Amino acid sequence: ELSDVTFNAAISACEKCGAWENALELIHLMAQSAVESSAWTHNAAISASEKGGEWEMALDLFSAMSCSWVELDTITFNATISACENAGKWEEALHLFSLMAQSSVELDTIAFSSAISICETCREWEEALQLYTQMAQREVQHNTITYNAAITACEKAAKWEEALHLFGVMTQREVDPDSLVFNAAISICEKVGRPASGREQGGVGHNYCRWFDQRFNERSKE
């Protein structure tokens, strides 16, 4: 006799390879077999849809969960937001984030970072910084992706002071910058009149650029 454990294992295998059609068939078979599904079951199917590039199916599964007894959780929202974000459906992704914020589901670093990344893509630097601030207010930890998106959003909007301030906070909190952050730093330091060449000049944020020079030289020696 097939059990929920058997079905979940099969759906998990589908999720890993993005076989969303097979995952969906298994969920339908579970219902026909009167086997109870769980949030984990549906989350795996949404993740399979995300990996298969099927953002509409991910939204359909999300909606079906909303109308059923299965409780939505952080993974449900994050997987669906990711499916929409990867497909360039930024309005849908931000709407889901808004629903998540209004619900009792906990907003985590992944959700905030996705939303900030979308704001960066849409050149909404003010919204990106508002979300960054909300993370601190909710005591949600910032990570490299968070800073990368927020800094890039400010750079694209020519908000050098804001971007360089984020650099300073990033190093104070000992969050390691990635290559994207370093590239953004090179661009900003050049534009504010402090090229990343060790040459002392005036300009906004020169202290942060000096810090960047030091970190850049350290990475070059690695």
Side-chain angles (χ1 to χ4, degrees):
E1 183 178 342
L2 295 174
S3 66
D4 60 332
V5 175
T6 306
F7 276 109
N8 285 340
I11 293 172
S12 177
C14 294
E15 181 265 327
K16 290 176 182 176
C17 61
W20 64 274
E21 290 176 306
N22 292 333
L24 194 60
E25 288 176 5
L26 286 167
I27 287 181
H28 288 158
L29 185 56
M30 285 183 78
Q32 293 171 4
S33 305
V35 177
E36 189 174 294
S37 61
S38 64
W40 191 96
T41 310
H42 292 270
N43 289 343
I46 291 174
S47 293
S49 300
E50 174 211 343
K51 291 179 180 177
E54 295 292 331
W55 68 274
E56 290 178 303
M57 182 53 64
L59 278 181
D60 287 344
L61 288 166
F62 178 91
S63 298
M65 286 181 70
S66 302
C67 299
S68 71
W69 60 269
V70 181
E71 187 174 352
L72 304 172
D73 60 17
T74 302
I75 296 173
T76 312
F77 277 99
N78 284 344
T80 313
I81 289 171
S82 180
C84 293
E85 179 187 2
N86 292 341
K89 300 299 177 180
W90 302 308
E91 186 176 341
E92 289 82 355
L94 290 176
H95 177 66
L96 286 166
F97 179 83
S98 178
L99 290 177
M100 190 178 183
Q102 294 169 21
S103 72
S104 59
V105 177
E106 181 181 0
L107 284 165
D108 63 358
T109 302
I110 295 174
F112 269 110
S113 295
S114 293
I116 293 173
S117 293
I118 293 169
C119 291
E120 176 257 313
T121 302
C122 298
R123 297 181 179 272
E124 297 288 346
W125 71 274
E126 289 179 305
E127 275 195 50
L129 289 187
Q130 286 173 8
L131 290 169
Y132 172 87
T133 302
Q134 286 178 30
M135 289 182 75
Q137 293 171 345
R138 290 175 176 259
E139 298 183 347
V140 179
Q141 187 174 4
H142 303 92
N143 63 10
T144 302
I145 297 173
T146 311
Y147 282 106
N148 177 36
I151 289 169
T152 305
C154 292
E155 182 209 356
K156 287 181 177 178
K159 299 298 177 180
W160 318 130
E161 289 187 73
E162 290 81 355
L164 292 172
H165 171 72
L166 288 171
F167 278 123
V169 176
M170 190 177 188
T171 187
Q172 289 170 6
R173 296 180 178 174
E174 299 183 343
V175 179
D176 289 330
D178 60 10
S179 59
L180 292 174
V181 171
F182 272 99
N183 288 336
I186 291 172
S187 175
I188 292 170
C189 287
E190 289 175 346
K191 289 170 182 174
V192 299
R194 175 68 168 84
S197 62
R199 184 162 53 91
E200 189 68 34
Q201 292 184 14
V204 177
H206 63 276
N207 289 332
Y208 291 132
C209 285
R210 189 182 300 116
W211 162 79
F212 165 74
D213 280 347
Q214 182 181 353
R215 293 299 301 272
F216 181 79
N217 291 332
E218 289 173 359
R219 285 175 69 101
S220 298
K221 294 176 183 177
E222 292 179 356

